Amino acid sequence: MARIFDNSVEDEKSKVKKDGLIYQQRNDTDYKAEYEKLDSKGKFQFFKDYYLQTIVVIAVLVIVGGYYLYGSLTKPQTVLYVAVCDDNLDEKQVEKLEKAVGTYLGLDNKHEIVTINTDYNSSNGTLSEQLQSYIYAGTCDVVIAPKKGFMSYASAGYFLEPDTSDTVALFKDWPQKKRLYCPVVDGEQIRGEKDFDTTKYNFGIEISDCKKYKELEGLGKSAYVGITNSSKKQEEAAAFLKFLTDDTLKDGDVNPDFAVQSK
């Protein structure tokens, strides 16, 4: 039996009336008119439903962003970075030395500072790798370590030596027995790709008996210091060694060369 379709008849149970709300055009004026009809409680509910969540999210983003921006703008800049390995030093004495060296370099010790990091330990693989990465990147300027640990870095060729750099010319004035000499061993030598060079270079000096270092109250039996050849602050590093080893220089003294640069 054929079914006859009549377009003039609508099944109200299965079709949406064409005059329903879905077909009606609405604009901002409609919403404003409806909003004006609401009482204070209704208006507050309308605000909560449509705007409050968005405003809270924006406020959180502004606060978090402002916090990190403020931190990045006010965080002190480390002008000289000194790594101390395998020794326990008195924190207050370390802070005192940081400020004394900062003053000597003409820093204000607030926005520009000297950082002496005493956390490095050769038995901790993570810290040891971190220090090596800092040296590679030129972030670490000075390394202080016991003889055995210092030689491991020196033999890898990480430090300046007086025959190739006048920056550490003061090494030559140091007592012969207080200088550390060792050859450089690279990967090609270890792999047998070239002969070992037995030439020994003066990469560091012993500072265990220096008055200022002894005041740090370290527990290590020996301490050697050297300037990394990747340092971007080699002149400042040399000034640090000068201040550390020269007993005539006192806290509060200012190096005239750096004082002029800082103005």
Side-chain angles (χ1 to χ4, degrees), residues 52-70:
L52 183 59
Q53 184 175 2
T54 300
I55 291 175
V56 170
V57 171
I58 293 174
V60 170
L61 291 175
V62 170
I63 292 172
V64 173
Y67 173 80
Y68 283 106
L69 178 62
Y70 176 80

Side-chain angles (χ1 to χ4, degrees), residues 99-106 212 243 246-256 259:
K99 292 181 179 179
V101 175
T103 299
Y104 186 64
L105 295 178
K212 293 188 181 74
F243 183 83
D246 190 341
D247 290 341
T248 66
L249 297 174
K250 309 295 182 182
D251 291 3
D253 286 350
V254 180
N255 185 312

Side-chain angles (χ1 to χ4, degrees), residues 148-213:
K148 182 178 178 180
F150 190 89
M151 286 190 69
S152 67
Y153 292 112
S155 62
Y158 289 163
F159 300 120
L160 298 177
E161 58 93 18
D163 288 339
T164 59
S165 174
D166 290 337
T167 302
V168 287
L170 64 88
F171 284 15
K172 295 179 179 179
D173 298 327
W174 212 245
Q176 184 78 20
K177 64 179 181 180
K178 294 290 185 179
R179 304 178 200 173
L180 185 143
Y181 290 86
C182 70
V184 175
V185 180
D186 60 28
E188 292 181 339
Q189 293 173 338
I190 294 175
R191 292 191 297 270
E193 297 173 359
K194 69 177 183 180
D195 294 335
F196 279 90
D197 182 358
T198 58
T199 304
K200 294 184 178 181
Y201 303 92
N202 177 200
F203 287 122
I205 56 175
E206 186 176 7
I207 57 172
S208 308
D209 295 330
C210 290
K211 180 180 178 182
K212 293 188 181 74
Y213 192 78

Side-chain angles (χ1 to χ4, degrees), residues 5-108:
F5 293 94
D6 186 351
N7 292 332
S8 65
V9 179
E10 292 184 346
D11 186 348
E12 295 186 358
K13 294 183 180 180
S14 61
K15 295 183 178 180
V16 179
K17 290 185 177 181
K18 291 184 178 179
D19 61 350
L21 291 177
I22 192 172
Y23 292 106
Q24 296 181 10
Q25 297 292 327
R26 299 180 66 84
N27 54 46
D28 292 341
T29 303
D30 297 330
Y31 286 112
K32 290 179 180 178
E34 292 179 8
Y35 179 78
E36 293 297 331
K37 294 178 183 179
L38 298 174
D39 56 17
S40 58
K41 183 176 180 180
K43 289 179 179 179
F44 179 68
Q45 186 62 44
F46 182 89
F47 171 77
K48 287 174 57 181
D49 292 341
Y50 292 97
Y51 298 106
L52 183 59
Q53 184 175 2
T54 300
I55 291 175
V56 170
V57 171
I58 293 174
V60 170
L61 291 175
V62 170
I63 292 172
V64 173
Y67 173 80
Y68 283 106
L69 178 62
Y70 176 80
S72 64
L73 294 176
T74 59
K75 184 179 180 180
Q77 177 187 357
T78 294
V79 173
L80 184 72
Y81 188 93
V82 180
V84 179
C85 305
D86 300 330
D87 204 353
N88 294 314
L89 306 180
D90 184 90
E91 292 183 4
K92 292 183 178 180
Q93 293 298 325
V94 169
E95 291 177 3
K96 180 182 176 182
L97 180 61
E98 288 175 334
K99 292 181 179 179
V101 175
T103 299
Y104 186 64
L105 295 178
L107 309 181
D108 61 11

Side-chain angles (χ1 to χ4, degrees), residues 101-125:
V101 175
T103 299
Y104 186 64
L105 295 178
L107 309 181
D108 61 11
N109 287 323
K110 291 182 180 180
H111 302 95
E112 295 181 318
I113 62 173
V114 172
T115 297
I116 301 176
N117 191 331
T118 62
D119 294 335
Y120 294 105
N121 189 317
S122 60
S123 62
N124 185 313

